[in-house]
Amino acid sequence: MSQSPAEGSPAVQQLVALIRETTGNVIPPARLAFLEEVAERRAHARGLSGVAAYVHALAARELPDEWGSLIPLVTIKESYFFRAPQQFEVIRQRILPELVRARSASRQLRIWSAACARGEEPATLAMLLADEPALAGWSWTIVATDLDEEALAGARIGLYGERAVAQVPPDLLARWFSRRGKLYELDSGLRSRILYQPLNLAHAPFALPWDELDLVLMRNVLIYFRRPLQRWVISQVARLLSPEGSLFLGASETLWQIQDELESVDLGPCFAYRHRESRPAGEARPAPSLAKAPERPRAVRPAPPLPSKPPTPAPVPPPAIREASPPPILALPGVHERLLEAARELAANRIAAAGRAVEQALAADPSEPSAHALEGFLHDLAGRTDEALTSYRAALYLDPALFQVRVLLGDCLLRLGHRDRAEQQFREVLTLLAGGRERALVLFGDLPLPDRERAQRRARQVLKGG
Ligand SMILES: C[S@@+](CC[C@H](N)C(=O)[O-])C[C@H]1O[C@@H](n2cnc3c(N)ncnc32)[C@H](O)[C@@H]1O
């Protein structure tokens, strides 16, 4: 494991469960100490005697407005303009021209940035759309949603720090931002094309202004959810995505083994997901394979407020209903036991059994970097290099100091002919090792993973052109 498991007090364990039920987010063991501190601070702010009293009051629904304060503290808000620029380039070059053709009659585009944090992602899209000559005079709106209302309030104000705008090309920075002391204010005209709404992906319904979407960006949020919830969220998105629509996930996220209604389409530097049967524009949408959803409103309406009461786990409904509501929270076996089992199976060359154990580990804790690393290793062994890349990226997204994963990722990139990107990974390996900041995957002693010396040798060899 990259970090030793911390159990946390019973009250903190209960808080972890409440957060998972309410927001879908899994709090990894490594963050339990931090969560305890947060709960202590919140207890103090609410005039309660301590963490146990705080969690008790939250569970008893005695603090209806507390989730609004807690969520910003326990969710990850990392985002910046032009994050994963290759996706925006593909949207500009490939997706928009296709959509312009498909929507030439209505001259309307319906775009959703789900889990938009403080609005960096929808604003990046808005810059792209505003500069697209073919969209002049079109009606396009981006609906930008997040669970965190504080983040949405920040997005509406539109003030960003140096780090958030660091990747904005200079001409766009000059056109769309004004300096406000140390901050940058996003152009209010551009902000007015974005509709900021609260929406919790862990609960039905997804109240959006439209019942069909042309483009969905749902990046770097599924990674914090367990597989059953990931599957449910994607089934909702699939139902909303138009026949010509595309879904983009984060670079470290995949729908592999999650669902098969949408298929991944290779767009060169990145992937998008689309309906399996792509149809020419204007053709009727096939009957969705999921249970029919309730009618959706055509007019914009505010999303329902975040549930102030955490939902109680429901009994498992029959399959026809199950897809209309998020999956119940089930007690899943511990991630560490499953990973040990996976490593044992793999060492004994029982690949399928190892795969099942990794799958269970990821179901138990999707934010465990070692589980993604081992999943990548299994993909790698099976020659699924693209999938291995995604899993290794997921592991590194969650723990950037895993130097062995960087070596594996670097080797995958070399095999795919991306030498520049591979070299970047190997340079990072050397930097981590030189600074003593590296972390190893210690659980997998039997696997042929490079130790520090071998990783260093391999990195130097690659950087010398080997
Ligand atoms: C790492 S940020 C991703 C921001 C942006 N999509 C990107 O890729 O740069 C994750 C965001 O997901 C949001 N989030 C977490 N759980 C959520 C949920 N159940 N429903 C909606 N948003 C959620 C968090 O509040 C946070 O803003």
Side-chain angles (χ1 to χ4, degrees):
M1 299 314 312
S2 52
Q3 270 140 334
S4 66
E7 283 301 309
S9 66
V12 166
Q13 287 294 346
Q14 194 188 351
L15 184 55
V16 167
L18 281 175
I19 292 171
R20 200 177 59 226
E21 286 161 16
T22 306
T23 73
N25 286 246
V26 175
I27 307 288
R31 295 190 76 214
L32 291 186
F34 167 75
L35 184 63
E36 180 121 31
E37 268 175 47
V38 164
E40 254 163 36
R41 263 189 284 142
R42 290 308 308 155
H44 183 71
R46 304 297 305 222
L48 294 164
S49 61
V51 175
Y54 174 72
V55 176
H56 181 272
L58 207 57
R61 302 164 185 182
E62 288 163 7
L63 303 172
D65 55 345
E66 178 57 18
W67 285 103
S69 305
L70 185 58
I71 282 167
L73 301 172
V74 298
T75 51
I76 311 285
K77 222 56 58 188
E78 165 75 4
S79 190
Y80 47 90
F81 290 87
F82 286 91
R83 182 181 200 175
Q86 68 281 11
Q87 292 188 330
F88 292 106
E89 202 42 39
V90 160
I91 290 173
R92 194 176 67 77
Q93 288 186 9
R94 302 266 312 257
I95 305 292
L96 287 182
E98 281 172 24
L99 286 176
V100 164
R101 278 193 297 279
R103 298 279 169 265
S104 58
S106 67
R107 291 164 67 84
Q108 193 195 11
L109 290 186
R110 298 149 303 182
I111 299 167
W112 181 24
S113 163
C116 68
R118 298 190 182 94
E120 299 86 342
E121 177 181 284
T124 305
L125 261 182
M127 285 183 226
L128 226 69
L129 296 171
D131 268 356
E132 178 52 56
L135 290 178
W138 280 48
S139 148
W140 57 263
T141 307
I142 301 169
V143 61
T145 67
D146 201 280
L147 164 77
D148 181 349
E149 301 216 26
E150 203 175 280
L152 291 172
R156 287 187 197 102
I157 293 167
L159 283 173
Y160 297 94
E162 198 73 59
R163 201 167 159 266
V165 300
Q167 309 291 327
V168 180
D171 57 321
L172 296 182
L173 192 65
R175 261 172 54 214
W176 295 116
F177 292 86
S178 321
R179 278 306 282 261
R180 298 279 177 258
K182 287 191 170 162
L183 300 175
Y184 294 78
E185 184 181 357
L186 180 67
D187 178 80
S188 58
L190 202 63
R191 264 181 286 147
S192 71
R193 305 296 299 254
I194 305 169
L195 190 68
Y196 302 100
Q197 283 187 195
L199 187 149
N200 185 352
L201 292 170
H203 293 273
F206 290 181
L208 292 165
W210 315 287
D211 54 8
E212 263 203 343
L213 297 161
D214 299 312
L215 177 60
V216 178
L217 269 68
M218 185 176 281
R219 307 187 309 162
N220 305 306
V221 62
L222 291 180
I223 195 160
Y224 302 109
F225 297 168
R226 280 180 167 176
R227 282 247 162 128
L229 182 58
Q230 294 176 341
R231 198 169 282 131
W232 179 80
V233 171
I234 291 301
S235 73
Q236 301 303 298
V237 174
R239 196 166 50 68
L240 287 163
L241 202 63
S242 73
E244 305 82 11
S246 302
L247 162 70
F248 286 83
L249 301 180
S252 55
E253 293 164 324
T254 173
L255 298 187
W256 197 81
Q257 283 194 343
I258 290 184
Q259 63 83 53
D260 52 13
E261 204 171 340
L262 301 178
E263 66 182 342
S264 92
V265 180
D266 188 350
L267 296 169
C270 64
F271 287 89
Y273 289 90
R274 290 182 179 165
H275 282 290
R276 282 207 172 271
E277 315 147 43
S278 57
R279 283 155 299 283
E283 249 185 40
R285 187 176 176 200
S289 57
L290 300 170
K292 179 151 172 44
E295 277 293 295
R296 280 171 193 280
R298 294 262 167 194
V300 174
R301 67 161 202 205
L306 186 72
S308 53
K309 302 171 182 182
T312 36
V316 180
I321 314 168
R322 197 180 302 159
E323 275 133 4
S325 48
I329 309 294
L330 302 173
L332 291 163
V335 64
H336 289 225
E337 291 74 14
R338 293 288 78 82
L339 284 177
L340 279 168
E341 183 188 331
R344 271 197 308 272
E345 297 289 13
L346 191 50
N349 213 18
R350 288 191 289 268
I351 309 292
R356 281 193 295 277
V358 169
E359 167 89 352
Q360 286 169 2
L362 282 168
D365 183 357
S367 59
E368 171 51 59
S370 311
H372 289 281
L374 195 48
E375 184 185 53
F377 197 77
L378 288 168
H379 285 314
D380 225 348
L381 279 179
R384 295 185 294 267
T385 310
D386 284 327
E387 295 300 344
L389 274 190
T390 308
S391 301
Y392 290 148
R393 283 201 191 108
L396 290 169
Y397 179 81
L398 296 161
D399 188 347
L402 292 173
F403 72 100
Q404 294 155 312
V405 180
R406 286 204 185 273
V407 172
L408 294 167
L409 174 59
D411 280 329
C412 277
L413 287 166
L414 280 179
R415 281 204 299 283
L416 291 171
H418 304 306
R419 174 158 278 274
D420 285 0
R421 281 151 66 193
E423 287 184 357
Q424 215 177 318
Q425 292 303 328
F426 285 110
R427 267 194 295 277
E428 188 59 31
V429 169
L430 292 181
T431 312
L432 281 171
L433 292 170
R437 289 183 292 110
E438 80 283 2
R439 260 195 298 276
L441 293 161
V442 295
L443 237 195
F444 310 135
D446 290 337
L447 303 185
L449 293 170
D451 60 15
R452 287 169 177 75
E453 283 70 37
R454 271 177 51 210
Q456 204 165 38
R457 268 205 309 279
R458 177 74 186 128
R460 289 197 177 127
Q461 183 193 28
V462 171
L463 292 171
K464 273 194 207 136

